[in-house]
Amino acid sequence: MAARDDVFNASGTESAPVPISAAAERVGGTARMLRYREALGLLPRTQDPPTGRGHRHRRFTEEDLRTIEVGLELEREFDIPPAALSFALRVLAEPEVLARVRAHGERLGRLTAAPTRALDFEKEKAMRLLRTRLPVPPSASNVPKTP
């Protein structure tokens, strides 16, 4: 996403940002498809100031179009809908959501439990060794008394 209105295209010449209809044609979709992806958070954020009576007419830079194309490629490659990609990004961005999804995956058996910290593992190992190798102290009742 570029904050400037002038952007250089692949040939090195300046190209102005394009309106949503032209952007949709360039990425092989429709304006409605781009608006849907924007609502899901799959389009780069815009820094365009409102035009006219406060309406914001979204304009797409070359960098924006490349970002949109990468998202579309991910959807095709992994055979997922845009909503799934949007949720995957949310999981990566929000630690609480990630923890809840991971816990669910562990309950399902699709994910292994998260590894414990190395110090916790070593402490548990030491405690196990101590419990199994400590000699049992003789009790007072089992020890013969000397006269």
Side-chain angles (χ1 to χ4, degrees), residues 2-8 14 17 47-48 61:
R4 303 173 13 202
D5 281 340
D6 56 323
V7 179
F8 293 94
E14 284 188 34
Q47 295 180 358
D48 295 341
T61 64

Side-chain angles (χ1 to χ4, degrees), residues 66-131:
R66 283 190 297 276
T67 302
I68 294 166
E69 288 170 343
V70 168
L72 292 170
E73 288 172 16
L74 284 170
E75 291 169 18
R76 280 190 297 269
E77 183 179 342
F78 294 107
D79 194 27
I80 58 172
L85 181 58
S86 177
F87 184 68
L89 291 171
R90 181 176 177 200
V91 167
L92 293 171
E94 299 178 28
E96 181 181 319
V97 176
L98 175 63
R100 291 180 65 193
V101 170
R102 172 169 269 296
H104 183 63
E106 289 171 8
R107 279 192 299 274
L108 291 172
R110 292 190 62 187
L111 298 174
T112 57
T116 57
R117 293 186 343 204
L119 288 176
D120 292 341
F121 175 78
E122 291 298 325
K123 180 180 175 183
E124 289 175 19
K125 180 179 170 185
M127 294 304 290
R128 246 188 346 267
L129 289 170
L130 285 173
R131 279 192 298 267

